[in-house]
Amino acid sequence: MRKVVFTTDDTEGTANTENSFSTETRRHRGRQRERKKIHPPIQGLTKFRISSVRSVFSAVNLKSRVSLCLCVSVVFLLIGCARKPDPNTLVMIIESSPINLDPRVGVDSQSQRIDELLFDSLLRHDEHFQIQPSLADSWEIHDPLTYIFHLHRGVRFHNGQPLTARDVKWTFDSLLTGKLRSTKTSTFTKVSRIDVSDDYTVIFRLKEPFAPLLWNLSGAAGIVPYGSGEDFNRKPIGSGAFRFVSAQQDKNVVIERNPDYWATPARLDRVEFKVIPDATTRALELRKQSADVAINSLVADTVVALERDHDLTVVQAPGTIYAYIALNLRDPILKDVRVRRAIAYGIDVQPIIHYLLRDEARPAYSVLPPQHWAYDGNVERYPHDPARARALLDAAGYRPVNGVRFHITMKTSTEESTRLLAAVLQEQLREVGIALDIRTFEFATFLADVTKGAYQIHSLRWIGGNQDPDIFENLFDTASFAPKRANRTFYSNPQVDELIREGRGTLDQQKRKAIYDQIQQILADDLPYINLWYLDNVLVHTNRVHGIEISPSGNYDFLRTAELAQ
């Protein structure tokens, strides 16, 4: 059965650092050979219409459909061999092992999402990405350079040690002083020093006004005990709703309920995160009832098949994972905004969402998700309009010759959904006279080229990083050009640069909202990115699981409220 959760457009992010690539894409790293040939337009496809999306989807995805049918046909044989599930352990499928469970170090999605269960941060964020209290009961901004946090009393780490301001200071000092090597250090470069006035008061002193500080102290910025060193990740000790039990690389991670948790305790006794890299095997584990939960790790066709299983429930809710097309503005063709707008008008997102993504996504009009307090959807939009696209290309001086105005190249990884998207875009843009050549590479090569700016067009996703409006500085500030930062489009607009500075230095949220509205409106006009969609959160669980509540960020917070039927 399928359960759909509806929220309003006005209705958390897991990452305080950049994570622009999906786990589905990362699984291919180092696993396939580089393919460097230029793909000609797919033969046998008619002029693009909704039916041609169906054709491309069927042609490219035939192998996965056959695999799925075989999966379904053998599952009944496997059910008889399946062990009876542990009544006290929820088994959750994850695609890869967490890299490092030290919350000061781990930046991959699995590390950060599991860390949020093991550790508490000073602050948290709600479904609107508003900052809320956590370990800090309250805070005050004495002046733009001084933030004072008052800690909740009576909190203890899993080893029984009290959590005090000394632990908070140690957690961040180990990053600021270089005692610990971590990419998260860059998140706190605006912090001058951290002072402790008593056991439950900690003071952050800044070098300059920096409004994103509160966001950076939330989510996966968990507090560790004083003295925790480089080997802390081997047996992490937090203060969260769950405590660490064990971890085996590429096999599992086991956590258990913290019976002495200071806030609302978890209802599950134990959770096993079972590592299953293969998508077909993940589906089999759910149907065998040897796993209980999988979130955002099943392909759309598989979800359609699994929702027919009366022993499983599918929950779908709006998410924040943002898919986009990036355009290299240093390219002599793409530097013309009329060409970029023509490409946007030439793309028809709705049939792609319907046929390729099986309606598991919603159109995007900004980098920020619609649930965000800083989101502005009242911007220039580009509905599918081939006639207008052709007129813009004519005006830009690109007249068709034998039906082709110019060639541009889209680089992709070997990940199947990305290649499928490229094939559909190839057909859509052909209708307006643009010949899209597709070059597919093994992921490491693809990423290296994108990071260097050695591309014309590519498509990727932002996961977590787009839940804080300070992402605009990383993506679109002139000072953030690749390869050092993530402005891989080489977009430069002095007005946007100035607005980004204002947004970072303004503490009043209403004023910040007005600033970010302007940034979103300018970006919608200039089009360094073409917005595609936000992927829905899709969770499949066995019917012995109850109390699932999915957050927009797609993290694992639902394990705090979930319970197993006895």
Side-chain angles (χ1 to χ4, degrees):
M1 80 182 76
R2 176 182 289 261
K3 178 167 60 176
V4 180
V5 179
F6 293 96
T7 60
T8 65
D9 285 343
D10 297 326
T11 71
E12 134 189 301
T14 59
N16 291 325
T17 56
E18 177 193 354
N19 186 355
S20 59
F21 306 101
S22 71
T23 51
E24 184 74 19
T25 303
R26 287 197 297 270
R27 288 204 313 274
H28 291 267
R29 190 177 301 188
R31 297 170 75 184
Q32 300 197 33
R33 296 179 182 177
E34 178 175 339
R35 298 170 59 199
K36 292 189 176 180
K37 65 180 181 180
I38 297 180
H39 297 268
I42 294 176
Q43 301 300 315
L45 292 177
T46 61
K47 189 176 181 181
F48 179 80
R49 290 290 186 269
I50 290 178
S51 59
S52 72
V53 178
R54 204 182 287 123
S55 299
V56 175
F57 181 62
S58 298
V60 179
N61 212 34
L62 178 59
K63 182 177 179 181
S64 64
R65 287 168 178 254
V66 171
S67 298
L68 181 61
C69 290
L70 291 173
C71 159
V72 173
S73 65
V74 302
V75 72
F76 297 106
L77 294 175
L78 296 174
I79 287 175
C81 303
R83 62 176 181 174
K84 186 176 181 180
D86 183 336
N88 299 313
T89 301
L90 181 145
V91 178
M92 178 172 167
I93 295 171
I94 57 176
E95 299 151 285
S96 58
S97 290
I99 294 174
N100 193 312
L101 289 176
D102 185 334
R104 302 167 297 175
V105 178
V107 295
D108 61 289
S109 61
Q110 298 299 343
S111 295
Q112 295 201 106
R113 288 169 176 169
I114 295 175
D115 276 345
E116 288 182 335
L117 301 172
L118 300 175
F119 298 88
D120 292 310
S121 52
L122 285 177
L123 306 169
R124 64 178 182 86
H125 35 272
D126 61 20
E127 68 274 13
H128 302 281
F129 308 96
Q130 301 274 13
I131 298 299
Q132 302 293 342
S134 184
L135 284 176
D137 280 334
S138 62
W139 63 95
E140 57 205 57
I141 303 175
H142 184 267
D143 59 60
L145 302 182
T146 308
Y147 289 66
I148 304 172
F149 298 90
H150 304 283
L151 303 184
H152 188 86
R153 296 171 183 263
V155 178
R156 292 184 177 273
F157 287 107
H158 299 149
N159 61 1
Q161 172 185 322
L163 190 155
T164 67
R166 184 176 77 153
D167 303 300
V168 176
K169 177 176 170 59
W170 174 267
T171 298
F172 296 103
D173 274 354
S174 57
L175 294 172
L176 297 175
T177 61
K179 292 178 182 177
L180 197 67
R181 295 183 61 184
S182 171
T183 57
K184 287 191 175 183
T185 299
S186 61
T187 306
F188 300 101
T189 55
K190 299 292 193 271
V191 177
S192 174
R193 73 176 192 272
I194 300 170
D195 296 329
V196 171
S197 59
D198 60 49
D199 281 350
Y200 298 100
T201 305
V202 60
I203 305 168
F204 281 69
R205 303 191 187 276
L206 306 187
K207 301 173 185 176
E208 60 186 63
F210 188 61
L213 174 68
L214 295 179
W215 177 269
N216 293 343
L217 294 174
S218 67
I223 303 303
V224 303
Y226 177 84
S228 299
E230 292 185 356
D231 61 348
F232 178 70
N233 67 296
R234 296 178 183 175
K235 191 172 179 56
I237 298 171
S239 61
F242 291 89
R243 57 192 183 191
F244 177 82
V245 175
S246 65
Q248 297 183 62
Q249 184 68 26
D250 297 327
K251 183 179 180 182
N252 67 4
V253 176
V254 179
I255 62 177
E256 64 183 7
R257 184 171 64 91
N258 175 11
D260 302 314
Y261 189 49
W262 60 276
T264 304
R267 299 170 185 172
L268 295 169
D269 289 333
R270 180 172 284 220
V271 177
E272 177 189 2
F273 296 97
K274 192 173 184 179
V275 180
I276 304 178
D278 180 71
T280 302
T281 306
R282 290 195 287 270
L284 283 169
E285 292 289 321
L286 287 166
R287 300 200 73 157
K288 290 190 303 179
Q289 310 280 301
S290 52
D292 294 294
V293 175
I295 183 170
N296 297 337
S297 62
L298 299 167
V299 297
D301 269 1
T302 301
V303 174
V304 172
L306 292 180
E307 68 181 344
R308 302 190 189 104
D309 189 323
H310 296 296
D311 294 322
L312 298 173
T313 297
V314 177
V315 183
Q316 182 174 342
T320 63
I321 296 175
Y322 164 74
Y324 64 93
I325 293 173
L327 308 169
N328 190 334
L329 273 59
R330 286 181 172 175
D331 183 83
I333 296 175
L334 298 173
K335 69 180 181 180
D336 190 328
V337 69
R338 293 171 296 184
V339 173
R340 301 197 296 275
R341 290 171 181 167
I343 292 172
Y345 281 121
I347 295 172
D348 194 357
V349 168
Q350 287 290 358
I352 300 176
I353 290 175
H354 181 62
Y355 289 105
L356 271 63
L357 302 178
R358 295 300 191 113
D359 294 319
E360 292 180 3
R362 296 150 206 262
Y365 303 107
S366 172
V367 174
L368 298 178
Q371 305 96 325
H372 202 287
W373 60 265
Y375 172 80
D376 182 15
N378 188 26
V379 298
E380 187 68 35
R381 299 187 179 189
Y382 299 86
H384 186 225
D385 191 339
R388 192 166 183 181
R390 287 190 286 265
L392 283 167
L393 293 172
D394 287 343
Y398 294 102
R399 299 278 179 175
V401 177
N402 297 324
V404 177
R405 299 172 185 271
F406 54 77
H407 285 254
I408 53 175
T409 299
M410 180 173 183
K411 288 189 175 181
T412 78
S413 72
T414 53
E415 198 268 318
E416 182 177 325
S417 65
T418 304
R419 291 186 290 114
L420 182 57
L421 170 63
V424 175
L425 294 178
Q426 187 179 62
E427 288 301 304
Q428 291 186 341
L429 294 178
R430 179 189 294 170
E431 186 177 1
V432 300
I434 297 174
L436 183 67
D437 298 321
I438 304 170
R439 298 190 70 185
T440 304
F441 296 88
E442 178 272 329
F443 182 80
T445 303
F446 165 73
L447 176 58
D449 283 352
V450 167
T451 302
K452 291 184 297 186
Y455 73 93
Q456 286 181 292
I457 296 177
H458 76 263
S459 178
L460 281 169
R461 302 170 187 167
W462 276 97
I463 305 174
N466 65 322
Q467 295 163 18
D468 175 15
D470 198 47
I471 191 175
F472 292 122
E473 187 273 338
N474 195 26
L475 299 189
F476 302 117
D477 194 298
T478 303
S480 297
F481 279 179
K484 292 185 178 180
R485 302 294 302 285
N487 186 347
R488 301 173 186 134
T489 64
F490 302 100
Y491 172 75
S492 180
N493 184 323
Q495 184 182 2
V496 170
D497 294 345
E498 180 58 31
L499 288 168
I500 288 171
R501 305 286 179 275
E502 290 181 28
R504 293 186 121 197
T506 301
L507 301 183
D508 183 278
Q509 185 163 293
Q510 288 188 340
K511 293 179 179 178
R512 290 187 78 202
K513 172 74 166 73
I515 291 168
Y516 292 124
D517 284 352
Q518 291 184 64
I519 292 175
Q520 290 168 88
Q521 290 160 11
I522 295 170
L523 292 174
D525 288 335
D526 290 350
L527 279 186
Y529 276 11
I530 295 175
N531 303 308
L532 293 178
W533 48 74
Y534 309 103
L535 291 174
D536 281 353
N537 292 314
V538 180
L539 183 147
V540 181
H541 66 83
T542 60
N543 289 340
R544 77 175 186 134
V545 182
H546 302 280
I548 294 285
E549 298 176 6
I550 306 178
S551 67
S553 64
N555 62 17
Y556 300 161
D557 274 357
F558 61 86
L559 294 172
R560 297 171 181 264
T561 59
E563 52 188 327
L564 294 175
Q566 298 299 321

